[in-house]
Amino acid sequence: MTSRFYVTTPIYYVNGAPHIGHAYTSVAADVLARFHRLSGHEVFFLTGTDEHGQKVEQAAQNAGIAPQLFTDRISADFRDMADVMAISYDDFIRTTEPRHIKSAQALWQKVAENGAIYSGAYEGWYALRDECFYGEDELVTGADGVKTAPTGAPVEWVKEPSYFFKLSEYQDRLLELYEKNPEFLGPNSTRREIISFVKQGLRDLSVSRTSFKWGVPVPGDEDHVMYVWFDALANYLSALDYPDMSAEKAAFWPASLHLVGKDIARFHAVYWPAFLMAAGIELPEKIFANGWWTVEGQKMSKSLGNVVDPRELVKEFGLDSVRFFLLREVPFGGDSDLSRKSMIMRNNIELANDLGNLCQRTLSLVARNCGGVVPERRVLTDEDKQLLGQASLLPQLLSDRMAACALTDALEDVWKVIRAGNAYIDHQAPWALRKTDEERMKDVLRVLLDTLRSIATVLQPFMPQSMEKMLVQLGVNENERSFAALEVLLPAGRSLPAPQGIFPRYVEQEAG
Ligand code: ME8
């Protein structure tokens, strides 16, 4: 049976332009999707935009544009960002699409039929920026005496008729879920935080609003629109055409992984499983929360004017250097800082020097001394075997890392082999062997070519464009780039194109 992998990003709010934080989660999900495809799995990779709710409605009003036109524009901008970042999504869902509205309503109806929704009136705090209800006990009082949400978002007192979801009834089942399935929720810091939130007790959740109109109408009561999070979370099912899923789409549920930022772990790890339990639908297998990016040590914000558009970075540094930096800088799951200095260092040291030079040195020696053709694989020395052995373990090693969302550790595993490759080439000195033992020189170059092929193959998910270039230069055809294909040696005698540098060094322009 083929394994299936269904991975999702959050659907992003269209109240503002995409930035590096959005690109981050999408790139991470893309790496996982690409990795599973190379493993021969069937993949469904979903991203999209979250277009309803008061926050989006207000942003449209502020722009003086009708909400649908406004969301059309910004959603298109998110899609452009995804394309520039080479996000290989299979579907892009928008919550204003009829297919989504239909599904969200069906999900509501199912939950209501099962008795988990009742009507009442909400009175309490709401933070528009977070689109989140907060209990009095969760608020923090600033030095100025003003109460805010724990996230710092301003709160307002809201009082309106509302439907409620019986969240309080799911506390025990949720705690049991986290305890029995430690891998359901990660990283550990998020898991602990969520467990402690649920242990404090869950109140029933207001799941509809009546004070504005920009949302999915509640079935049977058009005065209400759904709470934007009920609507938004349903996207993971609406993309599979719930409740009328074809067998092909149904096979992708339950989702393998919802990748989210830590800011929205509560919605995914508490509300979403509770909604699904209420609807009698299987739960996703895993939710993993990425950490938070700051920029040059500061929180990104419109008022500070330091919001980074990933497309600008790509123009300056190149796509793969940006993708690499995002996943390499800090262990995935932790918080990180985007600084020009470290971006340049990572590019120049790890890409241009470590990987770029190893490839360049090997390929130019093959071009000069082997007539540009792949030499034969012959008898191997212990050192040869050791390097090839390390390289051949990469697909399995990385597959374990991917299952744990340890994307940065995966890169570190690859870099260990790259560093070993550099130590090997320095020690073997094939340039010197040319005069003393030409056969051995060819053997060494063949070992390096095979090692580089393994490295480039497993790095494809992280740096698709440059690894494609590298594989072309290594003479690896398109149908030889999967993990399974690594089991078959490249035939000797294949001629290689003239070597070209893959990772340029970045030189900072002098000011003025
Ligand atoms: O929350 N660092 O949408 P959103 C890291 N519509 N990741 C960041 C980030 C940062 N500084 N800023 C944003 C929503 N992100 C809802 C989601 S899902 C059913 C609905 C990423 O536009 C991170 O993944 O506010 C975060 O969770 C997401 O963007 C929030 O995007």
Side-chain angles (χ1 to χ4, degrees), residues 81-102:
M81 184 273 280
D83 294 340
V84 171
M85 299 308 293
I87 307 302
S88 60
Y89 55 84
D90 296 299
D91 196 355
F92 189 104
I93 187 110
R94 301 183 53 192
T95 57
T96 53
E97 288 176 273
R99 62 169 173 154
H100 171 78
I101 294 169
K102 194 173 122 224

Side-chain angles (χ1 to χ4, degrees), residues 217-263:
V218 166
D221 190 348
E222 306 251 321
D223 291 340
H224 291 248
V225 292
M226 285 179 200
Y227 171 39
V228 66
W229 273 102
F230 192 99
D231 163 359
L233 287 162
N235 90 89
Y236 302 131
L237 282 169
S238 60
L240 300 179
D241 305 324
Y242 173 86
D244 307 311
M245 303 192 226
S246 62
E248 197 195 333
K249 290 237 166 127
F252 281 107
W253 193 264
S256 317
L257 173 67
H258 294 314
L259 205 60
V260 298
K262 65 178 184 179
D263 57 325

Side-chain angles (χ1 to χ4, degrees), residues 10-13 19 21-22 24-25 50 55 229 232-233 235-236 260-261 263-264 268 290-293 300:
I11 48 170
Y12 305 110
Y13 284 128
H19 60 63
H22 306 119
Y24 180 49
T25 313
D50 187 357
K55 178 156 87 167
W229 273 102
L233 287 162
N235 90 89
Y236 302 131
V260 298
D263 57 325
I264 56 174
H268 284 82
N290 64 239
W292 215 243
W293 281 93
M300 251 190 299

Side-chain angles (χ1 to χ4, degrees), residues 143-391:
D144 50 6
V146 176
K147 286 185 177 174
T148 63
T151 54
V155 286
E156 57 177 334
W157 189 257
V158 174
K159 191 177 170 185
E160 60 187 327
S162 173
Y163 284 97
F164 284 85
F165 171 74
K166 292 182 179 168
L167 186 62
S168 59
E169 291 186 359
Y170 292 85
Q171 181 169 343
D172 293 343
R173 285 176 68 184
L174 287 168
L175 286 172
E176 193 185 319
L177 167 71
Y178 313 137
E179 297 297 343
K180 283 208 176 141
N181 308 283
E183 66 302 324
F184 173 74
L185 177 58
N188 277 331
S189 50
T190 300
R191 185 165 172 268
R192 280 194 299 270
E193 194 184 300
I194 293 293
I195 290 178
S196 120
F197 170 73
V198 175
K199 277 193 175 153
Q200 278 162 29
L202 295 175
R203 279 179 291 265
D204 287 350
L205 179 70
S206 165
V207 283
S208 74
R209 306 289 311 270
T210 40
S211 49
F212 64 94
K213 286 271 162 254
W214 187 239
V216 178
V218 166
D221 190 348
E222 306 251 321
D223 291 340
H224 291 248
V225 292
M226 285 179 200
Y227 171 39
V228 66
W229 273 102
F230 192 99
D231 163 359
L233 287 162
N235 90 89
Y236 302 131
L237 282 169
S238 60
L240 300 179
D241 305 324
Y242 173 86
D244 307 311
M245 303 192 226
S246 62
E248 197 195 333
K249 290 237 166 127
F252 281 107
W253 193 264
S256 317
L257 173 67
H258 294 314
L259 205 60
V260 298
K262 65 178 184 179
D263 57 325
I264 56 174
R266 180 190 295 191
F267 303 97
H268 284 82
V270 183
Y271 301 170
W272 182 228
F275 296 158
L276 291 170
M277 284 174 186
I281 297 174
E282 248 187 294
L283 305 187
E285 282 160 16
K286 190 179 182 70
I287 290 155
F288 193 89
N290 64 239
W292 215 243
W293 281 93
T294 49
V295 172
E296 308 288 349
Q298 283 188 308
K299 203 176 158 190
M300 251 190 299
S301 81
K302 272 192 202 150
S303 51
L304 286 174
N306 65 346
V307 177
V308 175
D309 184 335
R311 292 166 290 195
E312 295 301 317
L313 287 183
V314 168
K315 268 189 215 145
E316 191 176 359
F317 293 94
L319 173 67
D320 286 344
S321 180
V322 177
R323 286 174 60 112
F324 175 72
F325 175 81
L326 289 175
L327 296 176
R328 180 72 177 102
E329 185 65 357
V330 160
F332 194 67
D335 296 336
S336 4
D337 184 54
L338 184 77
S339 87
R340 278 186 76 77
K341 204 168 144 222
S342 32
M343 279 201 68
I344 293 169
M345 283 210 350
R346 293 250 175 234
N347 181 77
N348 289 356
I349 295 175
E350 293 184 315
L351 295 181
N353 284 2
D354 293 351
L355 178 54
N357 278 352
L358 179 62
C359 188
Q360 187 70 15
R361 286 202 284 177
T362 304
L363 288 172
S364 52
L365 285 168
V366 173
R368 256 185 278 133
N369 304 328
C370 308
V373 300
V374 176
E376 235 177 295
R377 167 84 84 88
R378 300 184 318 144
V379 192
L380 298 171
T381 67
D382 285 349
E383 278 164 306
D384 300 347
K385 283 186 201 152
Q386 201 180 349
L387 183 63
L388 289 170
Q390 250 184 297

Side-chain angles (χ1 to χ4, degrees), residues 14 49-52 56 60 65-77 94 96 214:
V14 291
T49 43
D50 187 357
E51 309 189 359
H52 288 130
V56 170
I65 303 174
Q68 189 61 59
L69 192 58
F70 181 77
T71 58
D72 286 349
R73 282 187 193 164
I74 302 207
S75 178
D77 204 27
R94 301 183 53 192
T96 53
W214 187 239

